Amino acid sequence: MKKILVLPGDGIGPEIVAEAVKVLERLRADGLEVELEHGLVGGSAYDAKGHPLPEQTLVQARAADAILLGAVGGPQYEALERPLRPEQGLLGLRSGLELFSNLRPAILYPQLADASTLKPEVVSGLDIMIVRELTGGIYFGEPRGVRTLDNGEQEGFNTLVYRESEIERIGRSAFEIAQKRGRRLCSVDKANVLEVTELWRQVMLRIAQDYADVELTHMYVDNAAMQLVRAPKQFDVVVTANMFGDILSDAAAMLTGSIGMLPSASLDADGKGMYEPIHGSAPDIAGQGVANPLATILSVAMMLRYSFGWSEAADRIEAAVGRVLDQGLRTPDIAAEGQASVGTAQMGDAVVAALG
Ligand code: IPM
Ligand code: MG
């Protein structure tokens, strides 16, 4: 029996997670051995408990076999001091559980080819996997802060730091993923300017010797940003540092035109993971029942595949999503201009029905 901790979070989080839970409940009725437990994270945890990552949530997360998260954040929390902001709930889970390997696929669904802002020939068949280092780099580096200089001027500072062992484990994780895909790995750095990423490049080159079947290339991050919008199909797997990955994965997601479709996995060394849609809490449409639940539903498929090794059940979910797209069902974010759209719950119900 696998224990899943469900953390709906803020904004559209509870709405989209409810649809993913419908899918899980349906599979459970068919014999999938999972049990669900709910918990609090983000702004809603702050509202209820005074902290975005209550101790109890961390305890629940440690005890779970996998975590399903909706989204965190909202304008009402922006004035809070930094340690109490919703994002700290997410960052605390990532670092507290050592979820260092963040997999962000960018796949263009043929049914949604028109949704991309890029020309069809540039993006058709797009299938990239971005592997983002998630528990190190400038997001967590010390020292950090804002200090006042002798002349009274304020100075803000953060530290971009990576240990060899941190680079090696994300590198190995990426090489192993590349072995299961097109066997091409592009390591993105800024080795022409930053010493820490020069070390990054050296470590990638060293461990590449253990993966002779994978072709390793290197690219500076500015060029990678350009190549992603110029000729994205040149990439198979991309591995990069925390902040570069944050930025590049948003760009890659938008190539598909449908950030509402893309799931993600954040894994520890043993494959335990937290699964969440790539998109945020979308406070502008929260509570309206129009958010796209497919990224969250596809996050469940990723969970079954990566944490539990249940690829048949994962295939079943992904096929069901394909079927509802074939049927022409679209939430507003993926509907073509003038095309009729359905709401969050209707989309979730359609996926459940399409599970067969
Ligand atoms: C992401 C988000 C987070 C990040 C925020 C919400 C802290 O942008 O998951 O990409 O910067 O990592
Ligand atoms: Mg981001």
Side-chain angles (χ1 to χ4, degrees):
M1 183 67 73
K2 301 288 187 190
K3 201 186 283 176
I4 301 171
L5 176 63
V6 179
L7 300 174
D10 312 323
I12 59 171
E15 300 163 53
I16 54 180
V17 163
E19 302 311 310
V21 166
K22 277 185 195 167
V23 170
L24 273 168
E25 290 294 355
R26 168 56 203 278
L27 293 176
R28 205 155 76 100
D30 290 350
L32 197 78
E33 301 204 325
V34 294
E35 60 187 26
L36 309 185
E37 190 181 312
H38 278 69
L40 290 166
V41 74
S44 50
Y46 172 79
D47 290 338
K49 305 267 179 197
H51 197 278
L53 183 57
E55 183 56 33
Q56 194 198 347
T57 302
L58 206 50
V59 169
Q60 285 177 303
R62 291 214 164 95
D65 295 299
I67 300 156
L68 178 67
L69 185 130
V72 298
Q76 68 271 46
Y77 305 111
E78 270 161 26
L80 290 173
E81 52 177 313
R82 185 165 298 276
L84 295 179
R85 289 198 207 146
E87 291 75 14
Q88 297 303 314
L90 188 58
L91 296 173
L93 279 171
R94 289 172 180 173
S95 68
L97 300 177
E98 279 206 74
L99 306 172
F100 67 89
S101 178
N102 183 213
L103 317 187
R104 301 193 160 189
I107 294 171
L108 186 88
Y109 285 80
Q111 299 96 327
L112 303 178
D114 294 343
S116 179
T117 47
L118 273 76
K119 295 190 194 113
E121 63 269 26
V122 176
V123 290
S124 74
L126 186 79
D127 181 357
I128 302 177
M129 178 69 88
I130 295 191
V131 181
R132 168 189 177 193
E133 200 292 323
L134 201 60
T135 51
I138 200 165
Y139 270 54
F140 295 95
E142 299 282 350
R144 62 191 298 154
V146 178
R147 60 191 161 213
T148 306
L149 302 175
D150 290 344
N151 68 359
E153 191 187 4
Q154 288 204 302
E155 179 181 69
F157 55 102
N158 287 89
T159 306
L160 174 49
V161 56
Y162 270 114
R163 276 174 281 128
E164 244 182 310
S165 54
E166 288 175 295
I167 303 170
E168 178 164 343
R169 68 178 181 176
I170 190 66
R172 291 196 182 278
S173 175
F175 271 107
E176 281 163 27
I177 287 161
Q179 282 180 321
K180 295 187 201 125
R181 294 177 39 110
R183 294 165 187 249
R184 287 184 298 115
L185 177 62
C186 179
S187 170
V188 171
D189 60 39
K190 189 71 186 174
N192 50 344
V193 178
L194 304 173
E195 289 84 350
V196 45
T197 70
E198 205 179 331
L199 177 67
W200 176 285
R201 190 177 283 217
Q202 283 166 11
V203 172
M204 289 295 161
L205 280 167
R206 174 162 58 73
I207 63 175
Q209 295 167 358
D210 297 337
Y211 306 89
D213 53 339
V214 175
E215 180 203 5
L216 174 68
T217 54
H218 308 272
M219 201 179 273
Y220 296 140
V221 63
D222 49 348
N223 186 25
M226 181 173 74
Q227 296 300 332
L228 263 180
V229 290
R230 191 188 73 87
K233 282 190 274 182
Q234 69 185 283
F235 297 106
D236 175 22
V237 181
V238 172
V239 62
T240 193
N242 203 342
M243 188 162 69
F244 295 162
D246 178 45
I247 299 165
L248 293 181
S249 65
D250 264 32
M254 209 52 220
L255 297 175
T256 71
S258 46
I259 198 166
M261 295 293 301
L262 300 176
S264 76
S266 306
L267 304 173
D268 75 2
D270 304 316
K272 171 168 169 170
M274 179 159 80
Y275 297 81
E276 53 180 313
I278 281 186
H279 60 73
S281 59
D284 53 322
I285 56 164
Q288 298 175 20
V290 295
N292 186 348
L294 294 179
T296 317
I297 290 172
L298 290 166
S299 297
V300 171
M302 260 190 127
M303 173 191 292
L304 303 188
R305 190 183 305 285
Y306 283 92
S307 282
F308 304 159
W310 296 342
S311 51
E312 235 169 80
D315 287 346
R316 200 170 152 207
I317 296 175
E318 286 163 0
V321 169
R323 245 172 263 138
V324 302
L325 292 177
D326 286 341
Q327 290 161 11
L329 267 78
R330 302 284 185 271
T331 41
D333 58 304
I334 51 172
E337 232 173 84
Q339 192 181 7
S341 60
V342 299
T344 311
Q346 261 173 297
M347 186 58 113
D349 290 341
V351 174
V352 170
L355 284 168

